[in-house]
Amino acid sequence: MVDLSNVQNKPLKLIFLVHFILITWGIQGFWSPDSYLFYNGLFILSLLWGIHHRESDEPLQIAVIINVLAILFDVIVLAAYFPATFRSSERFSIAMAILNLVIRPVTSVILCRIANERIGGEFSGRNTLGDIFGRGDTVAPGRPRAAYDDIDNPSGHQSTPGVVTIDGAGGKQPPPYHG
């Protein structure tokens, strides 16, 4: 039997597996348009990218965006292309598409938590969805903001420009401007 105790990224792989199965069963019917396969395929690819790049949160950001947009897309597709015939294969296909739609909000929250863990935070009140996408204490996702010197409050750790000799004769000149 397969030992699943040492599998890495279990929640992400479970999300991939569940959506993969439901999307596959959802496109079995004749009712589903090509657009349904397209945006769900992009979602699956972004999940695979997130599984492959364990240290990066960008694939998960893209997966969250696609998953949230897919909620709207699924509602539109299901309303516009709901099957007129109710053969058993069509009923099964539409039921799996509806089930996929129902679990999307849950998987979006889980993906947000996984992305937040990848940038080194805990999912608390301070670390929100905005922090995952670059607001808050980060300049860019996954990169902490560098410390800076406050020019209004000089202290002992703030350095002042010194003088530099440019020639061997001891003539002192201010440091060159590197702007």
Side-chain angles (χ1 to χ4, degrees), residues 1-11 13 54:
M1 194 78 189
V2 178
D3 181 26
L4 299 176
S5 63
N6 57 359
V7 175
Q8 296 177 351
N9 292 329
K10 285 181 189 178
K13 289 179 180 177
R54 293 184 196 117

Side-chain angles (χ1 to χ4, degrees), residues 32-51:
S32 65
D34 293 339
S35 63
Y36 185 78
L37 177 62
F38 176 72
Y39 66 81
N40 281 303
L42 288 178
F43 176 64
I44 291 295
L45 287 175
S46 65
L47 288 177
L48 286 173
W49 181 27
I51 290 169

Side-chain angles (χ1 to χ4, degrees), residues 43 63-73 104 108 112 129:
F43 176 64
V64 168
I65 291 169
I66 293 172
N67 203 23
V68 169
L69 288 174
I71 294 170
L72 174 68
F73 297 157
R104 281 192 191 275
S108 293
C112 283
L129 185 61

Side-chain angles (χ1 to χ4, degrees), residues 22 25 41 45 61 70 79 84 88 90 96 107-109 117 119-120 123 126 137 142 150 152 157:
L22 292 176
W25 285 342
L45 287 175
Q61 291 175 0
S88 60
E90 293 294 312
M96 294 302 107
T107 57
S108 293
V109 170
E117 289 172 4
I119 60 174
F123 200 75
R126 186 168 170 272
D137 294 331
D150 187 6
D152 293 334
H157 70 277

Side-chain angles (χ1 to χ4, degrees), residues 10 20 39 58-60 63 86 110 119 121 137 153 164 167-168 171 177-178:
K10 285 181 189 178
F20 179 75
Y39 66 81
E58 289 181 22
L60 297 181
F86 287 104
I110 295 170
I119 60 174
D137 294 331
N153 186 12
V164 179
D167 57 5
Y177 176 69
H178 296 291

Side-chain angles (χ1 to χ4, degrees), residues 84-147:
T85 62
F86 287 104
R87 297 187 334 220
S88 60
S89 62
E90 293 294 312
R91 280 187 283 164
F92 178 75
S93 175
I94 200 76
M96 294 302 107
I98 291 170
L99 183 60
N100 192 31
L101 171 62
V102 168
I103 67 168
R104 281 192 191 275
V106 175
T107 57
S108 293
V109 170
I110 295 170
L111 286 172
C112 283
R113 289 183 183 210
I114 295 170
N116 197 19
E117 289 172 4
R118 286 191 180 185
I119 60 174
E122 295 178 12
F123 200 75
S124 62
R126 186 168 170 272
N127 294 326
T128 61
L129 185 61
D131 291 335
I132 294 171
F133 291 104
R135 272 190 1 219
D137 294 331
T138 57
V139 174
R143 296 189 191 113
R145 181 174 296 189

